[in-house]
């Protein structure tokens, strides 16, 4: 039975927010002393875990972990306090430090150890307080006399067959903390950000993590502009469990604050990467959007870069004056109105992180200060805007932006794409010390207060820390090549999904680490197929590829393969996530233990009965749905809404690959160059088909042989008269009219130069059906 002292400690620990996850099973804890070591035991049905502290070195290397009496693991070797003493930075395990043991004793529910560090006659005193809660060892550390410059969490040694697990969208800046899987147990190592007085948290890059078996990095304490640091206050949480959910840190997600805007919800996102400094720039962009509209695309959210405010590389945040070479305010306003007339919605980018040195409002006191007291540069002639001041100025600026450029929506770049500590202000006049907690609080308040007044979207990347504060985020996945991360969708789908709209995975180029060869940027590229499948797996809105790089066919495919599905799953709760291995579907926990997650084959079921199969691995996956077998090649998906109202998939058939999506509004198909007969259409390329009352629109793409439409499929139980065929060309307002070439009830589409769409319709004299 858990002793009284442990119960008391667990209760006191949980009074403040904690990253310790709730347990799925009961665990009895106890503390005992053996020799000079203290044993913190967690005993449950699944495992007996002993955390052993032996006060020898005065660092985290004094901690060992024993699981079910297996040989001990050193979970934090080389870890401990990093100090600035003797005029230099000294690593946690440095031999330059004389570490003097002062005392170690058990006080009811914890063990307190006191150490004194000496370097060149400088002294720093530290207090360690060890306790156990559930399956976690808690190490609270304080002291340092202002000399503690950070904490290193060290590295794992002596683990059996260690496997490190990174979780997409759970990251610190540009790097991921990782969990260890060893001998059927998961081990995690975190500093509790609810308690930390550090300036930054950090993890390490993938190469370092794998080479040194490092789960995490640690934290740093920056000096203020007076050259002083906050006193060290940290809570190190080391957890071991057979359940991944118990080892993964608990996160308190606030209630969503974003103001809902139906004009944004469910749209496909299209982000323009760059706008040339030219008088024709907006005309060219508009023409591309107009073509998409003519090709049948609806409900697009068009996001613009900050190029709308400048004609070169200079920073132009906190401005409402549009770029002059591009035509200034009038040209931008006319363009926004024209795009709105297409039925698309625009966003304009702004941010409150930095200000140009040329801005009329710039003054040195507007800038955040470095530890030297100088304004912090973010780019040439651009400075980090003092976050406390940015919070005051942001609402007025956004009000003017919304009023001047209606009906555009604000797009808040940067704030949620970088870590909170990238907004650090060391100015002692602003706050006594630069801390993560103050940086995160200011950014959350800034975004939350804006969202209460204006529907906003923004850049993501570190958006798990701002979940629900904006209506949507461009869901960039950080990392050198995010496509190589394990396709673990649970954290995103069970936490971020439903808090706000997540769009894409970053751009397609970002997702593949900016490494896609130019010749692979086309509509049948494996890169595009895998990106679409991953978007479906993570339950995100589609992010359309850039037309200038990928072409219209790629944009059309991305839209119609996912648009119908996303309208169903974006608002739906996830019911179940399973990972496939050897014909079985298993939970995340079992998949991590068995390695099934590495196959990248998973099924997601939503409460509204929408279901997704995604094959993000490297081998074919055979699935069966409604007595039909689908062979899902690597980088593909299968999705269906309730009652089969929409079906979309990419599968391998006897004749080749087939991309297919069908619902009541449209049919999209791509036969990948192989002659295919599928339902109402025969073709060897791709085509979009939309049927309205007595009109069938067909947009063929990359077709080498004539496309044939079985009209009787759409208009059954009717004797068809000779039909008309209208051919639409980009540069002509009125279509050319032809007599349809018919074989029975089938219309053979001609290959007319310049025609992008054909419309099959009744003869002109048939004003109403049957007359």
């Amino acid at each position: 039975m858990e002793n009284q002292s442990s119960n008391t400690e667990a209760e006191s620990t949980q009074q403040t927010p904690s990253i310790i996850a709730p347990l799925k099973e009961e665990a009895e804890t106890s503390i005992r002393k053996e020799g000079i070591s203290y044993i913190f035991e967690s005993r449950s049905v699944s495992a007996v875990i002993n955390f052993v502290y032996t006060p020898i070195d005065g660092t985290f290397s004094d901690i060992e972990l024993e699981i079910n009496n297996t040989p001990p693991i050193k979970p934090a070797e080389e870890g401990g306090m990093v100090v600035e003493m003797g005029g230099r930075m000294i690593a946690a395990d440095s031999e330059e430090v004389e570490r003097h043991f002062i005392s170690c004793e058990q006080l009811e529910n914890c063990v307190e150890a006191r150490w004194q560090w000496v370097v060149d006659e400088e002294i720093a005193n530290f207090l360690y307080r060890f306790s156990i809660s559930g399956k976690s060892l808690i190490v609270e550390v304080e002291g340092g006399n202002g000399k503690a410059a950070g904490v290193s969490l060290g590295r794992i040694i002596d683990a059996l067959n260690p496997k490190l697990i990174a979780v997409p969208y759970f990251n610190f800046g540009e790097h991921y903390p990782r969990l260890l899987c060893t001998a059927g147990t998961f081990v995690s190592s975190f500093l509790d950000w609810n308690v930390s007085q550090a300036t930054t948290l950090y993890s390490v890059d993938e190469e370092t993590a794998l080479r040194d078996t490092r789960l995490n990095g640690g934290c740093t304490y920056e000096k203020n502009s007076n050259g002083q640091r906050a006193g060290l206050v940290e809570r190190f949480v080391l957890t071991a469990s057979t359940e991944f959910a118990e080892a993964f840190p608990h996160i308190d997600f606030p209630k969503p604050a974003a103001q809902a805007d139906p004009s944004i919800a469910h749209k496909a996102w299209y982000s323009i990467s760059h706008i040339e400094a030219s008088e024709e720039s907006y005309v060219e962009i508009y023409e591309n959007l107009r073509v998409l509209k003519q090709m049948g695309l609806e409900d697009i959210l068009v996001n613009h870069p900050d190029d709308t405010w400048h004609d070169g590389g200079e920073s132009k945040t906190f401005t409402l004056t549009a770029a002059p070479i591009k035509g200034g305010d009038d040209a931008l306003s006319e363009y926004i109105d024209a795009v709105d007339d297409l039925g698309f919605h625009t966003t304009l980018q702004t941010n409150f992180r930095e200000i140009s040195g040329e801005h009329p409002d710039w003054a040195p006191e507007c800038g955040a200060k470095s530890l030297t007291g100088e304004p912090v540069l973010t780019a040439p002639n651009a400075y980090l805007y003092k976050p406390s001041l940015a919070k005051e100025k942001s609402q007025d600026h956004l009000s003017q932006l919304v009023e001047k450029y209606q009906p555009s929506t604000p797009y808040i770049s940067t704030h949620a794409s970088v870590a909170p500590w990238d907004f650090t202000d060391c100015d002692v006049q602003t706050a006594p010390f630069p801390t993560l907690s103050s940086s995160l609080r200011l950014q959350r308040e800034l975004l939350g207060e804006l969202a209460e007044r204006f529907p906003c979207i923004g850049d993501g990347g570190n958006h798990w820390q701002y979940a629900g504060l904006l209506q949507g985020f461009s869901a960039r996945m950080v990392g050198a090549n995010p496509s190589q991360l394990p396709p673990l969708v649970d954290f995103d789908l069970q936490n971020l999904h439903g808090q706000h709209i997540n769009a894409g995975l970053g751009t397609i180029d970002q997702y593949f680490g900016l490494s896609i060869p130019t010749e692979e940027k086309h509509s049948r590229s494996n890169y595009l197929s895998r990106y679409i499948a991953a978007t479906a797996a993570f339950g995100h809105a589609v992010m359309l590829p850039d037309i200038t790089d990928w072409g219209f066919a790629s944009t059309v495919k991305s839209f119609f393969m996912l648009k119908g599905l996303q309208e169903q799953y974006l608002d739906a709760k996830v019911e179940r996530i399973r990972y496939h291995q050897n014909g079985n579907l298993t939970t995340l926990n079992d998949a991590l233990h068995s390695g099934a997650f590495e196959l990248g084959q998973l099924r997601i079921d939503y409460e509204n009965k929408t279901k997704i199969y995604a094959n993000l691995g490297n081998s074919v996956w055979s699935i069966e749905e409604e007595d039909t077998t689908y062979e899902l090649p690597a980088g593909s998906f299968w999705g269906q809404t309730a009652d089969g109202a929409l079906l979309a998939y990419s599968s391998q058939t006897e004749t080749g690959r087939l991309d297919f999506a069908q619902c009541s509004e449209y049919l999209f198909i791509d036969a990948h160059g192989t002659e295919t007969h599928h339902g109402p259409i025969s073709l060897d390329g791709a085509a979009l088909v939309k049927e309205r009352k007595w009109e069938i629109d067909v947009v063929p793409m990359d077709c080498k042989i004539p496309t044939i439409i079985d009209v009787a499929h759409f208009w059954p139980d009717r004797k068809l008269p000779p039909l008309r065929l209208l051919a639409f060309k980009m540069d002509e307002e009125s279509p050319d009219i032809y007599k349809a070439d018919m074989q029975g009830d089938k219309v053979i589409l001609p290959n007319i130069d310049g025609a992008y769409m054909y419309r099959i319709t009744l003869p002109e004299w048939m004003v109403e059906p049957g007359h």
Side-chain angles (χ1 to χ4, degrees):
M1 183 174 179
E2 184 174 333
N3 62 29
Q4 185 62 42
S5 64
S6 293
N7 275 326
T8 304
E9 172 63 21
E11 290 167 4
S12 65
T13 299
Q14 296 299 329
Q15 287 175 358
T16 57
S18 172
I19 63 172
I20 299 175
L23 297 184
K24 293 189 172 184
E25 63 175 356
E26 292 185 2
E28 296 181 355
T29 62
S30 62
I31 305 173
R32 67 182 186 274
K33 186 177 182 183
E34 294 184 1
I36 64 169
S37 299
Y38 291 87
I39 315 297
F40 299 81
E41 183 175 274
S42 172
R43 183 177 293 270
S44 63
V45 172
S46 61
V48 176
I49 299 164
N50 286 329
F51 301 97
V52 182
Y53 172 63
T54 307
I56 296 176
D57 293 327
T59 68
F60 292 165
S61 296
D62 291 342
I63 300 171
E64 292 183 316
L65 171 60
E66 298 174 353
I67 304 168
N68 291 332
N69 294 319
T70 57
I73 295 170
K74 300 292 286 291
E77 183 71 7
E78 302 172 1
M81 275 67 73
V82 177
V83 295
E84 184 177 17
M85 299 175 72
R88 58 193 182 276
M89 288 290 181
I90 300 177
D93 64 333
S94 174
E95 295 181 357
E96 294 184 69
V97 181
E98 295 178 24
R99 299 181 182 86
H100 299 291
F101 173 70
I102 303 300
S103 65
C104 187
E105 57 183 337
Q106 182 173 348
L107 301 173
E108 294 186 353
N109 59 344
C110 70
V111 172
E112 288 190 354
R114 299 178 185 273
W115 289 82
Q116 185 177 86
W117 290 19
V118 180
V119 177
D120 297 342
E121 298 184 355
E122 280 192 59
I123 295 174
N125 295 305
F126 292 102
L127 169 65
Y128 298 81
R129 185 177 294 109
F130 297 84
S131 60
I132 187 167
S133 175
K135 302 177 182 180
S136 298
L137 177 70
I138 302 169
V139 186
E140 294 171 291
V141 188
E142 59 186 65
N145 308 95
K147 297 178 174 63
V151 172
S152 168
L153 294 180
R155 63 191 184 94
I156 300 282
I157 64 172
D158 300 329
L160 180 64
N161 298 321
K163 180 167 56 179
L164 303 190
I165 301 165
V167 177
Y169 292 111
F170 179 63
N171 52 291
F172 297 159
E174 293 300 305
H175 302 303
Y176 293 91
R178 289 166 166 80
L179 281 74
L180 170 71
C181 183
T182 178
T185 304
F186 300 104
V187 178
S188 64
S189 175
F190 289 96
L191 295 174
D192 191 337
W193 49 81
N194 299 294
V195 174
S196 176
Q197 290 301 300
T199 309
T200 74
L201 297 179
Y202 69 93
S203 190
V204 297
D205 61 81
E206 181 181 16
E207 180 182 355
T208 302
L210 297 178
R211 182 188 66 232
D212 297 342
T213 320
R214 292 186 183 271
L215 301 186
N216 207 342
C219 70
T220 63
Y221 280 64
E222 300 295 337
K223 294 179 179 178
N224 63 20
S225 57
N226 282 349
Q228 300 172 321
R229 286 191 182 88
L232 181 75
V233 176
E234 296 296 330
R235 180 194 286 165
F236 172 29
V237 178
L238 180 67
T239 306
S241 174
T242 58
E243 287 287 333
F244 183 80
E246 294 179 342
F248 193 83
H250 171 74
I251 301 170
D252 287 313
F253 289 100
K255 183 179 179 181
Q259 179 179 338
D261 182 355
S263 67
I264 296 176
H266 296 173
K267 290 188 181 296
W269 289 35
Y270 180 65
S271 295
I272 297 167
S273 59
H274 176 63
I275 305 175
E276 294 289 340
S278 164
E279 294 179 357
E280 300 299 317
S281 292
Y282 292 128
V283 175
E284 294 170 0
I285 295 170
Y286 173 79
E287 283 302 310
N288 283 339
L289 296 174
R290 184 179 66 84
V291 171
L292 291 179
K293 175 72 173 184
Q294 289 177 318
M295 297 179 84
L297 280 70
E298 307 280 352
D299 295 331
I300 295 179
L301 187 66
V302 185
N303 305 312
H304 297 83
D306 66 3
D307 297 355
T308 52
W309 310 120
H310 64 82
D311 291 310
E314 71 273 19
S315 172
K316 287 291 185 180
T317 53
F318 282 100
T319 184
L320 298 171
T321 304
I325 295 177
K326 300 182 182 78
D329 295 353
D330 290 342
L332 180 56
S333 294
E334 290 173 7
Y335 161 76
I336 290 170
D337 289 340
V339 174
D340 186 61
D341 288 341
L342 289 177
F344 298 163
H345 192 82
T346 56
T347 69
L348 291 177
Q349 190 173 126
T350 189
N351 82 73
F352 310 102
R353 180 172 184 257
E354 58 190 8
I355 186 169
S356 170
E358 299 175 354
H359 195 282
D361 293 342
W362 163 249
E365 56 267 25
C366 296
K369 290 185 178 180
S370 67
L371 56 88
T372 64
E374 298 297 319
V376 178
L377 275 170
T378 57
N381 201 32
Y383 299 91
L384 179 64
Y385 204 64
K386 188 177 288 294
S388 55
L389 185 58
K391 180 172 173 288
E392 295 176 11
K393 299 289 187 181
S394 59
Q395 292 203 33
D396 182 58
H397 177 79
L398 220 59
S399 295
Q400 296 178 55
L401 176 68
V402 170
E403 182 179 356
K404 184 173 183 178
Y405 294 105
Q406 293 182 0
S408 280
T409 291
Y411 186 106
I412 313 299
S413 66
T414 306
H415 291 262
S417 69
V418 299
W421 43 88
D422 285 337
F423 295 84
T424 297
D425 182 9
C426 295
D427 189 354
V428 71
Q429 300 299 319
T430 303
F433 298 102
T435 63
L436 163 63
S437 58
S438 62
S439 294
L440 181 58
R441 174 181 53 79
L442 278 171
Q443 293 310 307
R444 284 177 170 171
E445 289 177 353
L446 184 151
L447 294 179
E449 290 174 8
L450 289 178
E452 287 179 359
R453 293 188 58 192
F454 315 100
C456 301
I457 62 172
D459 281 336
N462 283 259
H463 52 283
W464 70 269
Q465 298 175 83
Y466 305 99
L469 292 182
L470 299 184
Q471 186 163 346
F473 291 99
S474 173
R476 179 176 68 94
M477 193 181 290
V478 306
N481 187 343
S483 67
Q484 299 300 313
L485 288 169
L488 303 176
V489 302
D490 299 67
F491 174 71
D492 187 15
L493 284 176
Q494 293 177 346
N495 295 284
L496 307 184
H497 184 87
Q499 296 267 7
H500 53 253
I501 298 167
N502 291 294
L505 307 145
T507 66
I508 183 171
D509 291 271
Q510 288 173 332
Y511 182 61
F512 289 101
L514 305 178
S515 62
I516 303 176
T518 301
E519 62 273 16
E520 285 293 330
K521 293 186 175 183
H522 56 80
S523 64
R524 291 168 185 161
S525 167
N526 288 331
Y527 291 96
L528 180 64
S529 296
R530 187 172 287 271
Y531 182 76
I532 293 172
T535 302
F538 282 91
H540 291 183
V542 60
M543 179 77 76
L544 302 175
D546 192 325
I547 293 169
T548 57
D549 285 339
W550 286 83
F552 284 100
S554 298
T555 304
V556 171
K557 173 181 282 189
S558 301
F559 182 94
F560 288 103
M561 289 296 289
L562 285 183
K563 184 60 167 61
L565 276 175
Q566 77 174 42
E567 290 177 357
Q568 297 300 313
Y569 64 55
L570 283 178
D571 293 333
K573 290 185 178 181
V574 175
E575 182 177 68
R576 184 170 48 251
I577 302 168
R578 293 292 183 264
Y579 294 80
H580 170 255
Q581 186 178 42
N582 298 327
N584 298 313
L585 293 171
T586 64
T587 64
L588 171 65
N589 201 69
D590 291 342
L592 290 170
H593 281 305
S594 68
F597 76 99
E598 295 174 333
L599 296 176
Q601 298 171 350
L602 56 156
R603 171 174 166 165
I604 303 100
D605 289 271
Y606 291 86
E607 289 185 355
N608 66 358
K609 306 308 177 185
T610 299
K611 52 188 170 184
I612 305 288
Y613 292 88
N615 184 5
L616 304 183
N618 298 309
S619 59
V620 176
W621 182 20
S622 178
I623 67 168
E624 186 169 333
E625 279 288 335
E626 298 180 355
D627 299 324
T628 301
T629 299
Y630 299 88
E631 301 291 335
L632 304 187
S636 67
F637 81 102
W638 183 99
Q640 188 176 58
T641 58
D643 303 322
L646 180 142
L647 175 65
Y649 60 83
S650 182
S651 70
Q652 193 70 34
T653 69
E654 294 180 356
T655 57
R657 186 152 179 165
L658 180 72
D659 298 325
F660 178 86
Q662 186 173 29
C663 61
S664 59
E665 288 80 27
Y666 63 83
L667 162 67
F668 175 82
I669 188 169
D670 186 355
H672 285 253
T674 301
E675 185 173 355
T676 300
H677 308 281
H678 199 291
I681 191 168
S682 299
L683 77 174
D684 67 345
L688 169 68
V689 183
K690 282 190 168 185
E691 188 272 335
R692 295 178 299 278
K693 191 172 184 180
W694 311 115
E695 289 183 344
I696 302 171
D697 286 348
V698 184
V699 180
M701 293 164 284
D702 300 320
C703 294
K704 301 295 189 296
I705 64 173
T707 298
I708 302 173
I709 303 296
D710 185 355
V711 178
H713 176 90
F714 296 101
W715 302 335
D717 304 323
R718 177 187 180 91
K719 184 177 181 181
L720 295 175
L723 300 175
R724 286 189 302 159
L725 186 70
L726 280 59
F728 293 81
K729 298 179 180 180
M730 295 295 182
D731 54 353
E732 296 181 8
E733 292 186 7
S734 300
D736 297 334
I737 302 175
Y738 303 88
K739 179 181 178 181
D741 182 4
M742 300 184 66
Q743 291 182 352
D745 292 337
K746 297 180 179 178
V747 172
I748 303 172
L749 301 183
N751 185 11
I752 299 175
D753 287 343
Y756 70 89
M757 184 178 77
Y758 298 93
R759 176 170 294 162
I760 301 169
T761 186
L762 296 171
E764 194 171 10
W765 58 267
M766 295 188 68
V767 178
E768 294 181 7
H771 292 271

